[in-house]
C-alpha cells in the first residue's frame, strides 16, 4: 500500500480569522491544539497561567469556525529588561506553510512591542528548520545554543528579537 | 460524600491528629466555584499551580505503576532469575546478552541520559548481592558498579557538565558497594577459570589430555571454545577499562603511560568483542530475522533482567521520557572513540608552555570529544590550583609572557590583580574543556573580567612607576614584569574574543545575512590580535638579543626591525580572508540586495548590537561600532571589489608560511584548508565582479565546506 500524501487544506488566506484570546471558551480549543501537536505534558494550570495573566498576547486562528492555530505568550521583567516570551505556537498540519503561524506570532509580537517590551525570546529545537526560518524572517537572531536542552538529547537555540529603542521626540532646534 | 473514613490509613492518626472526611467540603467548594476560577492563597498562585500534576496521567504521574510496583515485586515475579536459566548453555548466552546490553546502557549514559534509566535499569545491578551464587554475573556487575562510580566521580570533580547534569544524578541508586575495591580480584578469578577452561577445550580438540578435571562452562562441547572466547574478551575489556580510569586518576599525570597500555588492551578486546558477534548469532540454531544493527546485544535478543521504569520515581515527580538505548554496535563505536580521545590525552607531554597547551586543547576539541573524555582532560590540566598539579599559574604566566625563568619567584605574584589573573587563566583552561555551546557563553562572560584585570594591572603599573624614572634594579624588574604581563593579557583577551566569534560558526548561530557583520568584526578583532601577538613576540626577541642594553626601545621599533613571525603571518592570512569575505558580502548586498533580511520589527543595527553586545561592553576592540561597520561597507560594490583581491593575498601568505610549520601537522592541515578557501573565493569573486550585476540567474551561497569558520563562496546558475 502506498502512503497517502498529506492532505493539505484548501483555503484563501483571507478566509482565516484571527482573534485575541477572548475567555474561557477559547481555552479548550488551545489545549486541544497544543496537546495534539506538542509532546510536552501541560496541565490545565499551565494554560491558565498564560491566558489569564496575558490574554492580550494569545491569539487564535479560525477557518470557517474551526480553530487551526494558536500562539500563547507572556511578558515580564527579567534581569532589568522587560521581555516577551513565546511559549507555544501551533498550526495544525493541513494548514501549515501558508503564513498562519507568521501572522499569529506577528500579532503577538506587535502587542508586546506596544506594551513596552524591549525584546522577545523563545527556544526552538536546532532541527526545527521551519520555526528557525519563520523567526529569522521576523528579525530574531540565534543568541545562544543550549546543549542537549531537550530530553531527547536535541540542542536548542535561544532566539531573541531586540526592538529598536523607541523613537524620541526631536527637541526643537535651538538656533532658528 | 458517603461519609465513611478511609480504609487503610497508611499514615496513622496520632494524639493530636485525626482523620476526617473532607469530601463534603470539597464538594461545596466545587459547587461554589465557577469555570475558570482558582482558589489561591499567599503562597499558591497561578505560577505555582503550573507545577501541579494530574494524578494518574501517565505523562505526568511517575507513581503510575507500569509493570511492577517495586524491584522486589519484579524479582518475585521472576524478572531477574538467578541462575538465569537451568540450562547452562542458555545461561551463558543470556549472561552475554546482559553484558552487551549493559555496555549499550553505559554508552547511552555517557551520551547524556540518566544513570537510573540506563545502567541501573538492570535489576541484577539494583540487587547485586543476590547475584553472588552466579560468579560470572556477580563479578561483572561489581566491576560495572565500581566503574560507574569512578566515572561519576571524575565528571563531578571536573564540574564541566553544567548542562549535562543529568549525568551525575545518582540519588537513590546503589552506587556504593562494600568490597567494590576488590572487584578486580573477583573478576580476575573468574577470568582465570574461564582461561583454564579455554585451554582445556583447545587441548581436548587437539586430542591432548590435560591433568586438570575442569567443569565446563556449559553443556554443548562444540560451543565451549566460542563461549569462553566471547566471555574472556568482555571480561578483559572491563578489567582494562577500569585500569585506564585508575591510572588516569593518578595525580600530575603519573599514570598516563600505564593508561595508554591499558587503552591499547581495551581496543584489542573491543575488536574481539565485535568479532565474537558472528559466533554468538550462529549458535542460536535459529536464523535471526530483522535488523540486527539496531539491537542492544550481539545476539540480537532482548536481554533478561532490565526494567527502566522501576527507577522512575527516583528521577523526578514527572516520569522521564522514554529513551532509546544505543545499539550494541554504536556502543562499541562509542567506546572506541572514547578510548581514542583518552589516548590523545594520555599522549600529551604536559608542555609547560601555555600557548602550546591552548593549541592542543583547541585541536582536541575539534573531534568533539564527549563529556567523559573532556572531564579527564580538565582534571589533568587543573589540579590543586596548579597546571598539571605541578606548575603554579604565576610561573605559567611569566613563561607565557616571555619573562626570565627567575621571575616566577618574584614577590609580585602576591599582588591582588596578579592573583586574580592566575584564577582567570585557570578558569580559561577549564572553560576550554567544556562543550562548545557552554564554552562560548563563558568566553563572552569572562571577556569583561579580562578587560577589568588589564585596567587594574595598568593602574597598578602606573601607580608604581608613573612619574618615577626608576633606578633601582628591583623596580626595573617589576616594570618589565608589568609590561610583559600587560601585553600578554591584551593578547589573550583578543584571543578569547576571537574564539567567541568563531565558535558562533561551529554552533550555527549566524545566518548568512549576518555573515557580513560577523566577518567585519572578526577582521577588527584579528587585526588587534595580530598586533598584540607581534608585539609580544617582538618583546621576547628583545630579551634574547638585547640583554646588556640599558636603552629602552619602543615596541614599535622592535616590531619593525624583526621579520614578521610565522604566528603573525598565520593571523594575517586569517585577516585577509575575513576582509575578503566582508567585502564580497557587502558588495553583493549593496549591488543585488541579497543576504539582507529586513524584518518588520527591527533593523540590522539591533542584530549587530545583540551579536556583539559582550564584546562592545568590554570595548573589544575600542572604537568599533555599528556606524563604523556601516561606513566600512556602504560603498562596497563590484567595481571596488574588482580592484583588490584579498583572497589572492591570503593564498600567497598561506603558501609562504607553510615551510615555517613543517613540524606542525595540525597547522599545515589548516593552511591547506585556508588555501582552498582562498582559491575558491578568488575565482568566485572574479566571476561575480564580471557577471554579478548583469546575470540575475547567478545564485551565490556561502558554505563552510572547507574550513570551520571561513566560508567558501559558491556561485551557481539557478
Amino acid at each position: 500500500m502506498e502512503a497517502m500524501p498529506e492532505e493539505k487544506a484548501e483555503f484563501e488566506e483571507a478566509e482565516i480569522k484571527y482573534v485575541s484570546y477572548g475567555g474561557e471558551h477559547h481555552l479548550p480549543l488551545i489545549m486541544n491544539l497544543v496537546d495534539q501537536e506538542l509532546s510536552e505534558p501541560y496541565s490545565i494550570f499551565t494554560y491558565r497561567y498564560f491566558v489569564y495573566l496575558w490574554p492580550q498576547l494569545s491569539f487564535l486562528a479560525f477557518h470557517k469556525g474551526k480553530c487551526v492555530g494558536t500562539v500563547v505568550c507572556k511578558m515580564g521583567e527579567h534581569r532589568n529588561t522587560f521581555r516577551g516570551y513565546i511559549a507555544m505556537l501551533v498550526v495544525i498540519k493541513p494548514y501549515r506553510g501558508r503564513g498562519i503561524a507568521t501572522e499569529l506570532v506577528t500579532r503577538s509580537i506587535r502587542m508586546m512591542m506596544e506594551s513596552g517590551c524591549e525584546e522577545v525570546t523563545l527556544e526552538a529545537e536546532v532541527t526545527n528548520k521551519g520555526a528557525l526560518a519563520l523567526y529569522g524572517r521576523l528579525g530574531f537572531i540565534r543568541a545562544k545554543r543550549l546543549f542537549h536542552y531537550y530530553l531527547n538529547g536535541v540542542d536548542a537555540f535561544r532566539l531573541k528579537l531586540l526592538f529598536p529603542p523607541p523613537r524620541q521626540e526631536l527637541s526643537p532646534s535651538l538656533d532658528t | 460524600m458517603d461519609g465513611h473514613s478511609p480504609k487503610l490509613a497508611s499514615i496513622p492518626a496520632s494524639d493530636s491528629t485525626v482523620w476526617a472526611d473532607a469530601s463534603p467540603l470539597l464538594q461545596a467548594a466545587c459547587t461554589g466555584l465557577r469555570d475558570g476560577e482558582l482558589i489561591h492563597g499567599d503562597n499558591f498562585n497561578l505560577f505555582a499551580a503550573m507545577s501541579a500534576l494530574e494524578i494518574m496521567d501517565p505523562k505526568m504521574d511517575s507513581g503510575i505503576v507500569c509493570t511492577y510496583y517495586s524491584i522486589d515485586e519484579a524479582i518475585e515475579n521472576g524478572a531477574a532469575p538467578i541462575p538465569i536459566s537451568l540450562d547452562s548453555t542458555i545461561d551463558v548466552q543470556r549472561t552475554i546478552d546482559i553484558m552487551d546490553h549493559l555496555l549499550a546502557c553505559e554508552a547511552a549514559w555517557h551520551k547524556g541520559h540518566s544513570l537510573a534509566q540506563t545502567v541501573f535499569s538492570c535489576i541484577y545491578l539494583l540487587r547485586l548481592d543476590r547475584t553472588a551464587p552466579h560468579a560470572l554475573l556477580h563479578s561483572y556487575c561489581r566491576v560495572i558498579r565500581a566503574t560507574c562510580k569512578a566515572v561519576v566521580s571524575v565528571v563531578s570533580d571536573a564540574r564541566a557538565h553544567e548542562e549535562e547534569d543529568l549525568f551525575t544524578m545518582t540519588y537513590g541508586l546503589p552506587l556504593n558497594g562494600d568490597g567494590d575495591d576488590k572487584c578486580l580480584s573477583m573478576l580476575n578469578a573468574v577470568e582465570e577459570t574461564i582461561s583454564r577452561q579455554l585451554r582445556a577445550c583447545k587441548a581436548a580438540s587437539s586430542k591432548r589430555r590435560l591433568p586438570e578435571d575442569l567443569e565446563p562452562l556449559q553443556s554443548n562441547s562444540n560451543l565451549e571454545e566460542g563461549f569462553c572466547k566471547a566471555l574472556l574478551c568482555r571480561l578483559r575489556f572491563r578489567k582494562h577499562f577500569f585500569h585506564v580510569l585508575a591510572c588516569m586518576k593518578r595525580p600530575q599525570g603519573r599514570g598516563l603511560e600505564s593508561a595508554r597500555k591499558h587503552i591499547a588492551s581495551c581496543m584489542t578486546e573491543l575488536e574481539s568483542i565485535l568479532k565474537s558477534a558472528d559466533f554468538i548469532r550462529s549458535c542460536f540454531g535459529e536464523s535471526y530475522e530483522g535488523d540486527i544493527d539496531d539491537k542492544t546485544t550481539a545476539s540480537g535478543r532482548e536481554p533478561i533482567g532490565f526494567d527502566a521504569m522501576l527507577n522512575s520515581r527516583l528521577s523526578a515527580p514527572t516520569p522521564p521520557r522514554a529513551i532509546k538505548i544505543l545499539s550494541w554496535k554504536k556502543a562499541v563505536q562509542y567506546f572506541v572513540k572514547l578510548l581514542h580521545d583518552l589516548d590523545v590525552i594520555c599522549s600529551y607531554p604536559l608542555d609547560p608552555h601555555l600557548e602550546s597547551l591552548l593549541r592542543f586543547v583547541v585541536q582536541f576539541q575539534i573531534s568533539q570529544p564527549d563529556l567523559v573524555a573532556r572531564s579527564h582532560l580538565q582534571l589533568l590540566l587543573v589540579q590543586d590550583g596548579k597546571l598539571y598539579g605541578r606548575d603554579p599559574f604565576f610561573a605559567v604566566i611569566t613563561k607565557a609572557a616571555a619573562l626570565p625563568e627567575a621571575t616566577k619567584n618574584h614577590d609580585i605574584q602576591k599582588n591582588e590583580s596578579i592573583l586574580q589573573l592566575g584564577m582567570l587563566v585557570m578558569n580559561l583552561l577549564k572553560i576550554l574543556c567544556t562543550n562548545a555551546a557552554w564554552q562560548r557563553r563563558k568566553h563572552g562572560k569572562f571577556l569583561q573580567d579580562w578587560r577589568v584585570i588589564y585596567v587594574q594591572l595598568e593602574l597598578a603599573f602606573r601607580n608604581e612607576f608613573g612619574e618615577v624614572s626608576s633606578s633601582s634594579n628591583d623596580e626595573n624588574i617589576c616594570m618589565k614584569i608589568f609590561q610583559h604581563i600587560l601585553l600578554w593579557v591584551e593578547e589573550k583577551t583578543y584571543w578569547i574574543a576571537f574564539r567567541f566569534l568563531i565558535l558562533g560558526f561551529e554552533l550555527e548561530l549566524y545566518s548568512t545575512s549576518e555573515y557580513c557583520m560577523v566577518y567585519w568584526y572578526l577582521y577588527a578583532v584579528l587585526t588587534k590580535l595580530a598586533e598584540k601577538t607581534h608585539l609580544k613576540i617582538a618583546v621576547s626577541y628583545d630579551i634574547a638579543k638585547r640583554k646588556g642594553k640599558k636603552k629602552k626601545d619602543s615596541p614599535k621599533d622592535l616590531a619593525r626591525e624583526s621579520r614578521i613571525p610565522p604566528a603573525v603571518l598565520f593571523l594575517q592570512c586569517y585577516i585577509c580572508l575575513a576582509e575578503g569575505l566582508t567585502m564580497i558580502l557587502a558588495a553583493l548586498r549593496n549591488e543585488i540586495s541579497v543576504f539582507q533580511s529586513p524584518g518588520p520589527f527591527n533593523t540590522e543595527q539591533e542584530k549587530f548590537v545583540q551579536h556583539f553586545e559582550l564584546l562592545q561592553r568590554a570595548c573589544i576592540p575600542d572604537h568599533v561600532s555599528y556606524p563604523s561597520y556601516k561606513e566600512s561597507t556602504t560603498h562596497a560594490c563590484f567595481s571596488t571589489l574588482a580592484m583588490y583581491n584579498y583572497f589572492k593575498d591570503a593564498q600567497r601568505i598561506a603558501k609562504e608560511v607553510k615551510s615555517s610549520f613543517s613540524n606542525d601537522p595540525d597547522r599545515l592541515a589548516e593552511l591547506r584548508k585556508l588555501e582552498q578557501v582562498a582559491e575558491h573565493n578568488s575565482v568566485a569573486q572574479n566571476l561575480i565582479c564580471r557577471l554579478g550585476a548583469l546575470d540575475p540567474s547567478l545564485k551565490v551561497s556561502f558554505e563552510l565546506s572547507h574550513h570551520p569558520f571561513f566560508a567558501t563562496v559558491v556561485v551557481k546558475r539557478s
Side-chain angles (χ1 to χ4, degrees), chain B residues 475-539:
Chain B
E475 280 178 339
N476 267 334
I477 296 175
C478 274
M479 182 149 59
K480 181 172 256 149
I481 295 176
F482 265 119
Q483 274 181 330
H484 280 236
I485 289 186
L486 276 174
L487 243 179
W488 182 80
V489 167
E490 262 204 310
E491 190 245 340
K492 271 286 125 337
T493 309
Y494 282 108
W495 185 78
I496 293 171
F498 161 67
R499 292 283 309 157
F500 174 80
L501 287 171
I502 63 171
L503 278 170
F505 285 102
E506 184 185 321
L507 299 170
E508 299 175 292
L509 296 181
Y510 311 129
S511 69
T512 318
S513 65
E514 291 153 18
Y515 274 12
C516 187
M517 64 172 82
V518 174
Y519 282 122
W520 180 83
Y521 215 106
L522 189 59
Y523 164 76
V525 167
L526 282 168
T527 305
K528 281 295 205 184
L529 179 59
E531 182 191 308
K532 304 300 171 190
T533 307
H534 201 170
L535 277 172
K536 187 189 75 170
I537 295 174
V539 154

Side-chain angles (χ1 to χ4, degrees), chain A residues 19-137:
Chain A
V19 299
S20 188
Y21 177 81
E24 196 64 20
H25 59 288
H26 279 160
L27 191 54
L29 299 173
I30 294 178
M31 285 177 58
N32 281 335
L33 267 183
V34 177
D35 275 350
Q36 207 181 311
E37 301 289 338
L38 303 181
S39 53
E40 293 294 322
Y42 292 138
S43 73
I44 189 170
F45 301 105
T46 303
Y47 294 99
R48 287 199 192 285
Y49 168 72
F50 287 103
V51 302
Y52 268 61
L53 295 174
W54 302 279
Q56 76 279 31
L57 296 181
S58 292
F59 290 86
L60 295 89
F62 287 91
H63 181 232
K64 297 188 171 154
K66 173 178 164 185
C67 184
V68 300
T70 183
V71 69
V72 175
C73 309
K74 66 179 260 194
M75 64 185 172
E77 193 81 21
H78 177 95
R79 287 190 197 171
N80 294 324
T81 30
F82 196 57
R83 170 201 272 199
Y85 179 74
I86 301 173
M88 308 172 210
L89 173 67
V90 182
V91 172
I92 57 175
K93 274 206 179 73
Y95 286 81
R96 288 183 195 166
R98 299 289 298 274
I100 296 176
T102 303
E103 181 60 33
L104 286 166
V105 170
T106 301
R107 286 178 186 238
S108 195
I109 294 175
R110 196 160 285 138
M111 186 59 70
M112 291 172 185
M113 190 168 70
E114 286 166 18
S115 309
C117 284
E118 294 158 67
E119 59 183 25
V120 182
T121 180
L122 70 135
E123 291 90 33
E125 283 183 347
V126 303
T127 46
N128 192 343
K129 300 272 178 235
L132 295 175
L134 190 162
Y135 291 108
R137 283 192 297 270

Side-chain angles (χ1 to χ4, degrees), chain B residues 214-262:
Chain B
L214 291 165
E215 194 171 313
L217 209 54
Q218 44 83 54
S219 47
N220 189 334
S221 54
N222 291 331
L223 305 175
E224 187 75 358
E225 189 175 326
F227 277 128
C228 286
K229 284 188 181 156
L231 282 170
L232 278 173
C233 54
R234 284 162 171 77
L235 292 172
R236 285 171 180 157
F237 167 73
R238 294 274 32 132
K239 171 177 76 176
H240 286 294
F241 188 66
F242 191 78
H243 276 302
V244 171
L245 298 175
C247 289
M248 288 187 78
K249 214 181 161 92
R250 289 168 59 189
Q252 297 178 25
R254 294 204 189 106
L256 297 184
E257 216 179 294
S258 312
R260 290 199 74 193
K261 297 197 181 104
H262 287 291

Side-chain angles (χ1 to χ4, degrees), chain B residues 375-386:
Chain B
S375 302
H376 275 95
L377 177 61
Q378 202 215 276
L379 287 182
L380 175 66
L381 298 185
V382 182
Q383 291 166 39
D384 296 328
K386 296 195 194 129

